[in-house]
Amino acid sequence: MKFETIAIHAGERPDKAYGAISVPIYQTSTFAFEDVGKTRGYDYTRTANPTRKVLEDTIARLEGGKAAFAFATGMAAETTVIHLLKAGDHVVAGDDIYGGTYRLFQDVMRNFGLEFTFVRMDSQKTLEAAIRPNTRLIWVETPSNPLLSITDLEMVTSVAKRHDILTVMDNTFATPYFLKPIEYGIDIVVHSTTKYLNGHCDVVGGAVVTATEELAERIHFLLNAMGTGASPFDSWLVLRGITTLPLRMKKHEENATTIARWLEKQKAVSRVYYPGLESHPGYDVARKQMKGFGGVVSFELKGGIEKVNSFLKKLKVFSLAESLGGVASLAEHPATMSHASMPPEHRAKAGIGDNLIRLSVGIENIDDLLADLEQALNA
Ligand SMILES: *Cc1c(COP(=O)(O)O)cnc(C)c1O
């Protein structure tokens, strides 16, 4: 089956009990045993739930993984993955990863004896130089947030295999519709399903996809032990969102491309970051490893923070809000919003300036989006 069909039919659909086409929400904490020591496949929802299972099977197939697990949030998924490690282990991560991931590593996991090095993942030399004898994991995000920088996944996995290091890729921005990291040798894919996979700004959720059965067993053990799994209702919402993922991603990309090209021509704009632009430093690698460039566009405004504030205030169709990947267009200011948890020195080093604005381009009519940006820029 092709991607669009898997998004609608994967897992146990129609359901076994009554043939419901919409996957039933098994809103139950516990399940009656058939006999002493014999379940009907489920015993307790923290461990596993039939609604969550259909979502997990769907995501696993879309990503081309062995198995997937659904979590309460993207951060719950990441927290679970990082617990594959133990005190004394070292992680190399990208220097412009999601702000919450950075906070989890620096402000939480470091207290438990894990060590982290943050580097720009744009060259094999930089990556190799960050590796130590105790490096157990490389954490990549591409396109990254908020600068949309591109990491060559084949480069990362070739270095990782040589040193016998596990690789994790946060595929929230591209989604499996545009990028399948496991095809490039990545071991574990993580998602904030809050974003494009659900796509409607009405749920928070996460997912982990593993390339091997062995990693799947370890992740499921941790999910159950730590209690980080997704609820049945949230799982159902994400499942419903995924059925239209291919249509939405096409439209997000079409609108984002038009907006990125339009922004490049504006006098008030000093720089545009979108991997689908020939001017983007990661353009060639993005074209090689992705089927499309996604729906997030960042740009820098000339004229300092006052100009940024007035632009953001004047937007009408774009809402000033964190998060991304939903049908509704959003604009945000990374320095004070999504990346406020990153210390200013680290932000500066990563190139996240105070005049940077990030757009999550929705699927509204492009004329309305362009008109909104134009009136806010020229006001
Ligand atoms: C939002 C996001 C997360 C965290 O997900 P939540 O669902 O908000 O917990 C992780 N990585 C990326 C790239 C994100 O955009």
Side-chain angles (χ1 to χ4, degrees):
M1 281 197 275
K2 298 281 203 306
F3 195 96
E4 292 81 352
T5 318
I6 294 169
I8 295 170
H9 291 284
E12 202 174 275
R13 300 190 237 189
D15 93 298
K16 267 209 303 243
Y18 296 106
I21 295 297
S22 165
V23 176
I25 305 169
Y26 282 93
Q27 192 68 29
T28 182
S29 57
T30 190
F31 298 82
F33 279 54
E34 224 161 43
D35 212 334
V36 177
K38 187 162 181 269
T39 69
R40 295 176 174 85
Y42 295 91
D43 54 15
Y44 188 56
T45 281
R46 169 161 38 78
T47 314
N49 174 282
T51 312
R52 189 204 290 164
K53 182 71 163 70
V54 179
L55 172 62
E56 294 171 338
D57 290 347
T58 303
I59 295 177
R61 286 195 55 195
L62 293 177
E63 286 281 3
K66 265 280 184 298
F69 301 95
F71 293 85
T73 65
M75 291 318 302
E78 298 191 356
T79 300
T80 305
V81 168
I82 205 70
H83 277 79
L84 289 169
L85 304 186
K86 58 179 185 341
D89 288 349
H90 173 247
V91 177
V92 180
D95 69 354
D96 62 348
I97 53 172
Y98 178 70
T101 309
Y102 178 82
R103 179 174 52 196
L104 170 71
F105 292 172
Q106 280 294 81
D107 301 341
V108 182
M109 299 315 299
R110 250 163 30 115
N111 297 335
F112 292 86
L114 292 189
E115 296 163 17
F116 297 90
T117 304
F118 299 91
V119 295
R120 182 56 44 116
M121 295 254 179
D122 58 358
S123 86
Q124 181 161 338
K125 245 175 87 191
T126 320
L127 180 57
E128 294 264 13
I131 290 172
R132 304 182 195 159
N134 60 337
T135 306
R136 295 284 169 269
L137 196 144
I138 298 175
W139 190 285
V140 216
E141 194 180 314
T142 180
S144 75
N145 181 18
L147 294 178
L148 290 319
S149 42
I150 300 295
T151 298
D152 187 335
L153 292 181
E154 271 172 352
M155 180 278 282
V156 171
T157 54
S158 74
V159 171
K161 293 220 153 67
R162 212 164 332 113
H163 296 268
D164 199 19
I165 298 170
L166 213 54
T167 47
V168 178
M169 156 71 185
D170 186 335
N171 201 25
T172 299
F173 270 49
T175 83
Y177 187 64
F178 287 141
L179 174 63
K180 294 197 177 149
I182 289 172
E183 286 179 357
Y184 297 99
I186 291 285
D187 299 305
I188 297 174
V189 174
V190 299
H191 276 284
S192 169
T193 57
T194 310
K195 315 296 167 52
Y196 290 107
L197 289 192
N198 177 63
H200 293 74
C201 308
D202 51 13
V203 72
V204 286
V208 173
V209 190
T210 66
T212 67
E213 201 59 61
E214 189 221 329
L215 281 170
E217 273 172 34
R218 291 173 65 197
I219 293 291
H220 185 247
F221 170 81
L222 290 170
L223 177 154
N224 186 43
M226 297 168 67
T228 44
S231 78
F233 183 59
D234 287 353
S235 298
W236 181 83
L237 280 170
V238 179
L239 259 175
R240 187 162 89 145
I242 286 177
T243 57
T244 57
L245 178 70
L247 293 173
R248 286 186 287 109
M249 291 316 290
K250 267 193 211 143
K251 188 69 182 167
H252 281 297
E253 184 186 35
E254 188 188 306
N255 283 353
T257 304
T258 307
I259 286 174
R261 293 200 188 288
W262 181 86
L263 284 170
E264 270 197 319
K265 288 190 235 128
Q266 304 308 307
K267 284 202 190 67
V269 172
S270 50
R271 186 156 178 197
V272 183
Y273 300 85
Y274 184 65
L277 293 176
E278 293 79 357
S279 61
H280 190 284
Y283 177 72
D284 290 331
V285 175
R287 267 200 21 174
K288 183 187 78 175
Q289 73 188 13
M290 298 170 75
K291 292 211 177 81
F293 306 106
V296 178
V297 179
S298 294
F299 65 99
E300 284 162 6
L301 268 183
K302 288 182 192 153
I305 193 73
E306 302 76 28
K307 180 77 193 158
V308 168
N309 286 344
S310 87
F311 170 80
L312 289 170
K313 269 205 215 100
K314 294 216 165 66
L315 290 170
K316 294 191 180 88
V317 181
F318 282 84
S319 301
L320 178 61
E322 288 191 9
S323 196
L324 59 107
V327 290
S329 289
L330 307 176
E332 71 110 9
H333 183 224
T336 56
M337 295 168 69
S338 62
H339 289 66
S341 54
M342 226 179 229
E345 322 81 74
H346 185 102
R347 271 205 307 273
K349 215 175 122 219
I352 304 168
D354 286 347
N355 58 343
L356 185 78
I357 292 169
R358 187 188 77 189
L359 302 178
S360 171
V361 179
I363 63 171
E364 299 95 334
N365 187 291
I366 187 64
D367 297 342
D368 294 326
L369 296 180
L370 287 174
D372 194 36
L373 294 171
E374 178 153 41
Q375 63 81 22
L377 264 190
N378 299 326

